[in-house]
Amino acid sequence: MTTTVIKNGTIVTADLTYEADVLIENGTITGIGPNLTGDTELDATGCYVMPGGIDPHTHLEMPFMGTYSSDDFESGTRAALSGGTTMVVDFALPSPGQGLLDAIRMWDNKSTRATCDYSFHMAITWWGEQVFNEMEAVVREKGINTFKHFMAYKGALMVNDDEMFASFQRCKELGAIPLVHAENGDIVADLQQRLLAEGNNGPEAHAYSRPPEVEGEATNRAIMIADMAGVPLYVVHTSSEEAHEAIRRARMQGKRVWGEPLIQHLTLDDSEYAHPDWDHAARRVMSPPFRNKKHQESLWNGLASGSLSVVATDHCAFTTAQKRHGVGDFTQIPNGTGGLEDRMPMLWSHGVNTGRLTMQEFVAVTSTNIAKILGIYPRKGAVLEGADADLVVWDPAKEKTISAATQQSAIDYNVFEGHHVKGLPRFTLTRGHLACHDGEMRTEEGHGRFVRRPPNGPVNRALSTWKELTAPRKVERTGIPASGV
């Protein structure tokens, strides 16, 4: 059995910085200390040895609006590794009426090509007795402890408040965490139709139809519903001051709520939609849309202060040809952008290099925090003996200009095209396998393994039944006059 040692580097974790070598054997960190030796040596002189990134929000080969996102689990995870990310968490999305376990089987088949470790969130796209019952098997048998709820995409993925409340209660029983895409889907649908009726059909109308208020309202509503259900809440792609304020206020009140800004919302703004080239603007259509710089400052401040916890990408890559399906009707533009391989270089360049984030905070928001939330720390998100050797050797002096011509992703553009970044991986290791060697990709298709996650906290063993959940409840009258108020 061969061993690998990372020599002469400075270890940086979410709470420590120190000089030491790292010894790796059989995919696991087996030693940390001075003067270690191994069969293969990787020189980390001038570099930081950090836990590999974990991107908790990706959509690889995802069906959406009659097409599929173009990055599959091979190209998507290869892109991740090139940028220092060593684990992704994708979403299993059942079609309306499809069982949860059937959806997991579909995603299991897609993920066999993964080049790094991965896990799934389960999406609740409809509600009924089968979904209620299968949630238990998803958690206890499949090792998935998070359930995503869409408050947007009316008529497709959106769940109503009563369904969301019932699902949140079920999550509490099972020791699972609900996730929400927080936008008021009813208002978005109304604004979309108004804009189209007025002749506003270009990509810029996508942003007009989803103002910050629809995100702030939905975020606040989801937090309140979760609080009434007695369950923590994870808010994906937090993009606005209104949503951040709802999360910040809840956390100050002792509610367990996590906010997840995206690297796109941190570094790109709504001026992208004013670009005269339709393709340029459409490539940047995602939900929530890019905001103005006021919101960017709020997100950066949230990461620095701890009111926001995780930086993700919502990597959902559609080609220009796929985006053109929405010419003449912005509601038909597939929602999503890339970002997997640029998340960490962009965050380092715009965060650490500018003084907005410390190196330790960078590690926390790209890796350690989400590992703890998902219940996989310290197997992931740590540089500790016994942890998986998911590591990135980060060279703070290495730099490049981002270009679609040199990216690993399968799409034909990059929303960060032309951005200069300083701070890149020298080496990326996934369970000890050297997948990225100074820019040269050495990934192995199928190397990735599914990472099971246990239930969170004490689990209520006396689970309710569907019959109990849907039983009529007696409503006590409060003495409101018959004439109303």
Side-chain angles (χ1 to χ4, degrees), residues 160-183:
N160 297 319
D161 287 355
D162 58 339
E163 298 168 329
M164 194 160 66
F165 183 51
S167 179
F168 283 15
Q169 293 177 86
R170 185 61 162 167
C171 286
K172 179 187 178 182
E173 291 185 324
L174 296 168
I177 298 173
L179 281 59
V180 289
H181 172 137
E183 290 181 296

